[in-house]
Amino acid sequence: MTKKLEGKTAVVTGASKGIGAAIARDLAAAGARVVVNYASSKEGAEKVVADIVAKGGKAVAVHGDMSKAADVAHLFAETKKSYGGLDILVNNAGIYKFAPLEEVTEELFHSQFNLNVLGLLMATKEAVKLFGDKGGSVINISSTVTRITPPHSSVYSATKGAVDAITGVLAKELGPRKIRVNAINPGLIATEGTHVGGMSEGDMKGWIEATAPLGRIGQVDDIAPTAVYLASDDSKYMTGQTLFVSGGL
Ligand code: NAP
């Protein structure tokens, strides 16, 4: 049986762990060649690549800090060198630092905006060049925080609010070039990042179990299939959408 993404090439930013790693694995399982980007976890990225290759898929790991324009350009140059073109971009690389208003600083603001917003714009700009005339699919990993606006998340929620806005804007701007732009807005998902931040075990987990209609926090395999859907022709008439994959939260 032909796989849904056979013959396609995908870049997944921040794919050495967490949601990005799961998306990279699922895109590869659907037949895509995958560029697994990482910033600091070379070992994690190489493990994702090895797992994909062991299952008969194709992937390469490429370093790049997505908040730096030169690194972003390098990632897409390496993509062209390895696979010749591009069809799918998953803008997943992102950081979340919660803090009450009193602790909001320039550093807290710029570190999150430079990656979550500027990095996403720079990566999309480079990807569009590689999509060429055939078009492509851009999938932005936003967050449910844009709807629930939890306390202490002013800067992080603002970055993801910007991601939702950019998703709508670029869908309009790039639609005529056959490029679809959609977002996935996950609820709280158990990942290395949420574990280190104490979110997937603490009060927030309890609140979600009590509040979300599906009564549990998410796992990375709750999110990755939606990325495959948005990458594939199954969603070919869908653009500018924000899909909340959050247990109904
Ligand atoms: P995670 O476990 O902390 O993993 C983050 C990934 O991003 C890692 O692969 C990391 O690479 C990479 N990364 C960090 N800084 C980077 C940079 N400057 N350049 C390139 N890559 C970088 O995170 P996660 O929980 O999977 O979250 C992934 C995305 O989902 C983020 O955009 C986050 O905002 C969003 N999200 C997460 C949740 C959740 O509950 N987990 C909910 C909603 C939205 P290295 O390890 O190599 O540094």
mmCIF file of all heavy atoms in Angstrom, residues 23-64:
data_model
loop_
_atom_site.group_PDB
_atom_site.id
_atom_site.type_symbol
_atom_site.label_atom_id
_atom_site.label_comp_id
_atom_site.label_asym_id
_atom_site.label_seq_id
_atom_site.Cartn_x
_atom_site.Cartn_y
_atom_site.Cartn_z
ATOM 1 N N ILE A 23 6.519 13.587 16.151
ATOM 2 C CA ILE A 23 6.049 13.993 14.821
ATOM 3 C C ILE A 23 7.026 13.497 13.755
ATOM 4 O O ILE A 23 6.613 12.968 12.713
ATOM 5 C CB ILE A 23 5.864 15.533 14.752
ATOM 6 C CG1 ILE A 23 4.672 15.952 15.617
ATOM 7 C CG2 ILE A 23 5.673 15.995 13.303
ATOM 8 C CD1 ILE A 23 4.459 17.461 15.735
ATOM 9 N N ALA A 24 8.327 13.648 14.009
ATOM 10 C CA ALA A 24 9.333 13.172 13.041
ATOM 11 C C ALA A 24 9.154 11.675 12.787
ATOM 12 O O ALA A 24 9.158 11.216 11.637
ATOM 13 C CB ALA A 24 10.742 13.470 13.561
ATOM 14 N N ARG A 25 8.965 10.921 13.849
ATOM 15 C CA ARG A 25 8.792 9.463 13.710
ATOM 16 C C ARG A 25 7.536 9.124 12.906
ATOM 17 O O ARG A 25 7.560 8.257 12.037
ATOM 18 C CB ARG A 25 8.705 8.803 15.094
ATOM 19 C CG ARG A 25 10.022 8.747 15.839
ATOM 20 C CD ARG A 25 9.885 7.872 17.091
ATOM 21 N NE ARG A 25 11.184 7.580 17.658
ATOM 22 C CZ ARG A 25 11.747 8.260 18.664
ATOM 23 N NH1 ARG A 25 11.100 9.272 19.228
ATOM 24 N NH2 ARG A 25 12.942 7.921 19.108
ATOM 25 N N ASP A 26 6.430 9.812 13.183
ATOM 26 C CA ASP A 26 5.172 9.502 12.480
ATOM 27 C C ASP A 26 5.211 9.941 11.018
ATOM 28 O O ASP A 26 4.666 9.250 10.149
ATOM 29 C CB ASP A 26 3.977 10.148 13.195
ATOM 30 C CG ASP A 26 3.427 9.240 14.302
ATOM 31 O OD1 ASP A 26 4.170 8.340 14.759
ATOM 32 O OD2 ASP A 26 2.261 9.429 14.703
ATOM 33 N N LEU A 27 5.838 11.086 10.744
ATOM 34 C CA LEU A 27 5.950 11.519 9.341
ATOM 35 C C LEU A 27 6.773 10.495 8.559
ATOM 36 O O LEU A 27 6.429 10.143 7.425
ATOM 37 C CB LEU A 27 6.610 12.903 9.248
ATOM 38 C CG LEU A 27 5.817 14.096 9.800
ATOM 39 C CD1 LEU A 27 6.660 15.373 9.711
ATOM 40 C CD2 LEU A 27 4.502 14.311 9.047
ATOM 41 N N ALA A 28 7.852 10.010 9.179
ATOM 42 C CA ALA A 28 8.696 9.007 8.510
ATOM 43 C C ALA A 28 7.931 7.709 8.308
ATOM 44 O O ALA A 28 8.017 7.073 7.256
ATOM 45 C CB ALA A 28 9.965 8.770 9.326
ATOM 46 N N ALA A 29 7.141 7.317 9.313
ATOM 47 C CA ALA A 29 6.359 6.077 9.184
ATOM 48 C C ALA A 29 5.333 6.192 8.060
ATOM 49 O O ALA A 29 4.963 5.191 7.443
ATOM 50 C CB ALA A 29 5.656 5.766 10.508
ATOM 51 N N ALA A 30 4.915 7.442 7.771
ATOM 52 C CA ALA A 30 3.965 7.655 6.673
ATOM 53 C C ALA A 30 4.684 7.802 5.331
ATOM 54 O O ALA A 30 4.052 8.104 4.319
ATOM 55 C CB ALA A 30 3.113 8.888 6.958
ATOM 56 N N GLY A 31 6.015 7.640 5.342
ATOM 57 C CA GLY A 31 6.762 7.605 4.082
ATOM 58 C C GLY A 31 7.624 8.813 3.782
ATOM 59 O O GLY A 31 8.348 8.822 2.782
ATOM 60 N N ALA A 32 7.565 9.869 4.622
ATOM 61 C CA ALA A 32 8.357 11.079 4.331
ATOM 62 C C ALA A 32 9.828 10.889 4.693
ATOM 63 O O ALA A 32 10.159 10.147 5.616
ATOM 64 C CB ALA A 32 7.790 12.266 5.109
ATOM 65 N N ARG A 33 10.685 11.584 3.939
ATOM 66 C CA ARG A 33 12.089 11.730 4.340
ATOM 67 C C ARG A 33 12.103 12.881 5.339
ATOM 68 O O ARG A 33 11.513 13.929 5.046
ATOM 69 C CB ARG A 33 12.960 12.096 3.124
ATOM 70 C CG ARG A 33 12.945 11.055 2.017
ATOM 71 C CD ARG A 33 13.696 11.587 0.801
ATOM 72 N NE ARG A 33 12.905 12.588 0.119
ATOM 73 C CZ ARG A 33 12.302 12.407 -1.064
ATOM 74 N NH1 ARG A 33 12.429 11.268 -1.696
ATOM 75 N NH2 ARG A 33 11.594 13.372 -1.623
ATOM 76 N N VAL A 34 12.780 12.690 6.473
ATOM 77 C CA VAL A 34 12.637 13.689 7.536
ATOM 78 C C VAL A 34 13.983 14.283 7.956
ATOM 79 O O VAL A 34 14.942 13.551 8.221
ATOM 80 C CB VAL A 34 11.935 13.079 8.777
ATOM 81 C CG1 VAL A 34 11.748 14.140 9.856
ATOM 82 C CG2 VAL A 34 10.579 12.504 8.392
ATOM 83 N N VAL A 35 14.015 15.607 8.031
ATOM 84 C CA VAL A 35 15.172 16.312 8.586
ATOM 85 C C VAL A 35 14.848 16.594 10.052
ATOM 86 O O VAL A 35 13.887 17.301 10.364
ATOM 87 C CB VAL A 35 15.450 17.617 7.820
ATOM 88 C CG1 VAL A 35 16.620 18.366 8.444
ATOM 89 C CG2 VAL A 35 15.718 17.314 6.344
ATOM 90 N N VAL A 36 15.649 15.984 10.928
ATOM 91 C CA VAL A 36 15.435 16.048 12.374
ATOM 92 C C VAL A 36 16.349 17.147 12.942
ATOM 93 O O VAL A 36 17.545 16.947 13.113
ATOM 94 C CB VAL A 36 15.761 14.679 13.017
ATOM 95 C CG1 VAL A 36 15.676 14.745 14.537
ATOM 96 C CG2 VAL A 36 14.829 13.597 12.470
ATOM 97 N N ASN A 37 15.774 18.310 13.183
ATOM 98 C CA ASN A 37 16.578 19.428 13.703
ATOM 99 C C ASN A 37 16.719 19.348 15.224
ATOM 100 O O ASN A 37 15.808 18.904 15.914
ATOM 101 C CB ASN A 37 15.923 20.758 13.298
ATOM 102 C CG ASN A 37 16.394 21.922 14.146
ATOM 103 O OD1 ASN A 37 15.642 22.432 14.976
ATOM 104 N ND2 ASN A 37 17.628 22.323 13.987
ATOM 105 N N TYR A 38 17.881 19.779 15.716
ATOM 106 C CA TYR A 38 18.094 19.853 17.159
ATOM 107 C C TYR A 38 18.955 21.067 17.463
ATOM 108 O O TYR A 38 19.651 21.574 16.573
ATOM 109 C CB TYR A 38 18.769 18.571 17.681
ATOM 110 C CG TYR A 38 20.180 18.395 17.173
ATOM 111 C CD1 TYR A 38 21.281 18.789 17.936
ATOM 112 C CD2 TYR A 38 20.418 17.863 15.901
ATOM 113 C CE1 TYR A 38 22.573 18.654 17.461
ATOM 114 C CE2 TYR A 38 21.711 17.720 15.421
ATOM 115 C CZ TYR A 38 22.786 18.116 16.205
ATOM 116 O OH TYR A 38 24.063 17.999 15.722
ATOM 117 N N ALA A 39 18.933 21.516 18.722
ATOM 118 C CA ALA A 39 19.786 22.638 19.130
ATOM 119 C C ALA A 39 20.942 22.142 19.983
ATOM 120 O O ALA A 39 22.102 22.421 19.705
ATOM 121 C CB ALA A 39 18.968 23.674 19.889
ATOM 122 N N SER A 40 20.636 21.379 21.055
ATOM 123 C CA SER A 40 21.706 20.931 21.953
ATOM 124 C C SER A 40 21.769 19.405 22.093
ATOM 125 O O SER A 40 22.814 18.869 22.449
ATOM 126 C CB SER A 40 21.530 21.562 23.340
ATOM 127 O OG SER A 40 20.267 21.189 23.858
ATOM 128 N N SER A 41 20.674 18.702 21.798
ATOM 129 C CA SER A 41 20.646 17.254 22.044
ATOM 130 C C SER A 41 20.984 16.444 20.785
ATOM 131 O O SER A 41 20.097 15.828 20.181
ATOM 132 C CB SER A 41 19.271 16.820 22.549
ATOM 133 O OG SER A 41 18.802 17.687 23.524
ATOM 134 N N LYS A 42 22.280 16.461 20.431
ATOM 135 C CA LYS A 42 22.722 15.715 19.243
ATOM 136 C C LYS A 42 22.364 14.237 19.388
ATOM 137 O O LYS A 42 21.844 13.603 18.461
ATOM 138 C CB LYS A 42 24.241 15.865 19.121
ATOM 139 C CG LYS A 42 24.839 15.296 17.850
ATOM 140 C CD LYS A 42 26.279 15.800 17.705
ATOM 141 C CE LYS A 42 26.825 15.590 16.317
ATOM 142 N NZ LYS A 42 27.511 14.344 16.116
ATOM 143 N N GLU A 43 22.610 13.727 20.597
ATOM 144 C CA GLU A 43 22.358 12.304 20.868
ATOM 145 C C GLU A 43 20.873 11.954 20.668
ATOM 146 O O GLU A 43 20.537 10.939 20.053
ATOM 147 C CB GLU A 43 22.735 12.013 22.314
ATOM 148 C CG GLU A 43 23.279 10.630 22.559
ATOM 149 C CD GLU A 43 23.744 10.514 23.998
ATOM 150 O OE1 GLU A 43 24.735 11.190 24.362
ATOM 151 O OE2 GLU A 43 23.093 9.791 24.748
ATOM 152 N N GLY A 44 20.009 12.827 21.187
ATOM 153 C CA GLY A 44 18.563 12.609 21.047
ATOM 154 C C GLY A 44 18.159 12.592 19.581
ATOM 155 O O GLY A 44 17.394 11.725 19.135
ATOM 156 N N ALA A 45 18.684 13.552 18.810
ATOM 157 C CA ALA A 45 18.338 13.632 17.386
ATOM 158 C C ALA A 45 18.848 12.392 16.648
ATOM 159 O O ALA A 45 18.153 11.836 15.793
ATOM 160 C CB ALA A 45 18.924 14.898 16.780
ATOM 161 N N GLU A 46 20.061 11.969 16.984
ATOM 162 C CA GLU A 46 20.616 10.789 16.302
ATOM 163 C C GLU A 46 19.827 9.528 16.645
ATOM 164 O O GLU A 46 19.689 8.631 15.820
ATOM 165 C CB GLU A 46 22.107 10.644 16.629
ATOM 166 C CG GLU A 46 22.910 11.684 15.829
ATOM 167 C CD GLU A 46 24.385 11.748 16.166
ATOM 168 O OE1 GLU A 46 24.794 11.119 17.172
ATOM 169 O OE2 GLU A 46 25.123 12.433 15.431
ATOM 170 N N LYS A 47 19.280 9.464 17.854
ATOM 171 C CA LYS A 47 18.457 8.318 18.251
ATOM 172 C C LYS A 47 17.155 8.310 17.439
ATOM 173 O O LYS A 47 16.710 7.256 16.975
ATOM 174 C CB LYS A 47 18.171 8.426 19.762
ATOM 175 C CG LYS A 47 17.123 7.483 20.305
ATOM 176 C CD LYS A 47 17.748 6.158 20.739
ATOM 177 C CE LYS A 47 16.824 5.238 21.493
ATOM 178 N NZ LYS A 47 15.672 4.726 20.773
ATOM 179 N N VAL A 48 16.558 9.480 17.262
ATOM 180 C CA VAL A 48 15.328 9.569 16.449
ATOM 181 C C VAL A 48 15.626 9.097 15.026
ATOM 182 O O VAL A 48 14.882 8.294 14.446
ATOM 183 C CB VAL A 48 14.757 11.018 16.447
ATOM 184 C CG1 VAL A 48 13.585 11.148 15.485
ATOM 185 C CG2 VAL A 48 14.326 11.417 17.854
ATOM 186 N N VAL A 49 16.747 9.573 14.457
ATOM 187 C CA VAL A 49 17.140 9.164 13.095
ATOM 188 C C VAL A 49 17.363 7.648 13.048
ATOM 189 O O VAL A 49 16.863 6.968 12.143
ATOM 190 C CB VAL A 49 18.414 9.921 12.647
ATOM 191 C CG1 VAL A 49 18.990 9.317 11.369
ATOM 192 C CG2 VAL A 49 18.095 11.399 12.439
ATOM 193 N N ALA A 50 18.076 7.117 14.028
ATOM 194 C CA ALA A 50 18.374 5.669 14.038
ATOM 195 C C ALA A 50 17.085 4.848 14.108
ATOM 196 O O ALA A 50 16.944 3.837 13.413
ATOM 197 C CB ALA A 50 19.287 5.336 15.219
ATOM 198 N N ASP A 51 16.127 5.295 14.926
ATOM 199 C CA ASP A 51 14.840 4.579 15.045
ATOM 200 C C ASP A 51 14.102 4.577 13.702
ATOM 201 O O ASP A 51 13.511 3.576 13.306
ATOM 202 C CB ASP A 51 13.940 5.233 16.103
ATOM 203 C CG ASP A 51 14.472 5.031 17.518
ATOM 204 O OD1 ASP A 51 15.402 4.214 17.693
ATOM 205 O OD2 ASP A 51 13.961 5.702 18.434
ATOM 206 N N ILE A 52 14.137 5.724 13.014
ATOM 207 C CA ILE A 52 13.448 5.833 11.713
ATOM 208 C C ILE A 52 14.115 4.912 10.693
ATOM 209 O O ILE A 52 13.440 4.156 9.987
ATOM 210 C CB ILE A 52 13.461 7.310 11.226
ATOM 211 C CG1 ILE A 52 12.529 8.159 12.107
ATOM 212 C CG2 ILE A 52 13.071 7.404 9.753
ATOM 213 C CD1 ILE A 52 12.608 9.662 11.876
ATOM 214 N N VAL A 53 15.444 4.970 10.650
ATOM 215 C CA VAL A 53 16.185 4.155 9.672
ATOM 216 C C VAL A 53 15.980 2.665 9.954
ATOM 217 O O VAL A 53 15.801 1.865 9.036
ATOM 218 C CB VAL A 53 17.687 4.551 9.679
ATOM 219 C CG1 VAL A 53 18.521 3.590 8.833
ATOM 220 C CG2 VAL A 53 17.840 5.987 9.163
ATOM 221 N N ALA A 54 15.939 2.300 11.242
ATOM 222 C CA ALA A 54 15.750 0.883 11.618
ATOM 223 C C ALA A 54 14.410 0.352 11.113
ATOM 224 O O ALA A 54 14.250 -0.839 10.879
ATOM 225 C CB ALA A 54 15.840 0.734 13.135
ATOM 226 N N LYS A 55 13.458 1.272 10.952
ATOM 227 C CA LYS A 55 12.134 0.840 10.453
ATOM 228 C C LYS A 55 12.024 0.988 8.940
ATOM 229 O O LYS A 55 10.923 0.944 8.379
ATOM 230 C CB LYS A 55 11.038 1.667 11.131
ATOM 231 C CG LYS A 55 10.894 1.308 12.601
ATOM 232 C CD LYS A 55 9.707 2.008 13.213
ATOM 233 C CE LYS A 55 9.466 1.497 14.620
ATOM 234 N NZ LYS A 55 8.760 2.439 15.451
ATOM 235 N N GLY A 56 13.177 1.236 8.264
ATOM 236 C CA GLY A 56 13.173 1.322 6.797
ATOM 237 C C GLY A 56 12.917 2.718 6.266
ATOM 238 O O GLY A 56 12.754 2.905 5.060
ATOM 239 N N GLY A 57 12.885 3.729 7.166
ATOM 240 C CA GLY A 57 12.632 5.103 6.725
ATOM 241 C C GLY A 57 13.926 5.864 6.435
ATOM 242 O O GLY A 57 15.022 5.315 6.559
ATOM 243 N N LYS A 58 13.752 7.125 6.036
ATOM 244 C CA LYS A 58 14.913 7.967 5.708
ATOM 245 C C LYS A 58 14.884 9.215 6.579
ATOM 246 O O LYS A 58 13.840 9.897 6.666
ATOM 247 C CB LYS A 58 14.853 8.404 4.246
ATOM 248 C CG LYS A 58 15.134 7.300 3.235
ATOM 249 C CD LYS A 58 15.462 7.919 1.873
ATOM 250 C CE LYS A 58 15.842 6.868 0.854
ATOM 251 N NZ LYS A 58 14.710 6.012 0.473
ATOM 252 N N ALA A 59 16.026 9.529 7.209
ATOM 253 C CA ALA A 59 16.097 10.739 8.040
ATOM 254 C C ALA A 59 17.549 11.158 8.219
ATOM 255 O O ALA A 59 18.452 10.327 8.127
ATOM 256 C CB ALA A 59 15.461 10.472 9.408
ATOM 257 N N VAL A 60 17.742 12.463 8.453
ATOM 258 C CA VAL A 60 19.058 12.980 8.830
ATOM 259 C C VAL A 60 18.870 13.957 9.995
ATOM 260 O O VAL A 60 17.823 14.613 10.093
ATOM 261 C CB VAL A 60 19.783 13.749 7.695
ATOM 262 C CG1 VAL A 60 20.322 12.816 6.639
ATOM 263 C CG2 VAL A 60 18.899 14.828 7.076
ATOM 264 N N ALA A 61 19.903 14.032 10.837
ATOM 265 C CA ALA A 61 19.881 15.003 11.940
ATOM 266 C C ALA A 61 20.676 16.228 11.512
ATOM 267 O O ALA A 61 21.772 16.086 10.958
ATOM 268 C CB ALA A 61 20.489 14.380 13.195
ATOM 269 N N VAL A 62 20.122 17.412 11.734
ATOM 270 C CA VAL A 62 20.840 18.649 11.381
ATOM 271 C C VAL A 62 20.756 19.629 12.550
ATOM 272 O O VAL A 62 19.660 19.953 13.025
ATOM 273 C CB VAL A 62 20.251 19.315 10.103
ATOM 274 C CG1 VAL A 62 20.990 20.610 9.788
ATOM 275 C CG2 VAL A 62 20.312 18.368 8.908
ATOM 276 N N HIS A 63 21.931 20.091 12.963
ATOM 277 C CA HIS A 63 21.988 21.057 14.058
ATOM 278 C C HIS A 63 21.503 22.430 13.606
ATOM 279 O O HIS A 63 21.677 22.795 12.449
ATOM 280 C CB HIS A 63 23.431 21.178 14.591
ATOM 281 C CG HIS A 63 23.558 22.261 15.604
ATOM 282 N ND1 HIS A 63 24.026 23.528 15.286
ATOM 283 C CD2 HIS A 63 23.216 22.305 16.913
ATOM 284 C CE1 HIS A 63 23.982 24.284 16.373
ATOM 285 N NE2 HIS A 63 23.500 23.562 17.370
ATOM 286 N N GLY A 64 20.924 23.196 14.512
ATOM 287 C CA GLY A 64 20.587 24.580 14.209
ATOM 288 C C GLY A 64 19.765 25.197 15.322
ATOM 289 O O GLY A 64 18.744 24.633 15.709
#
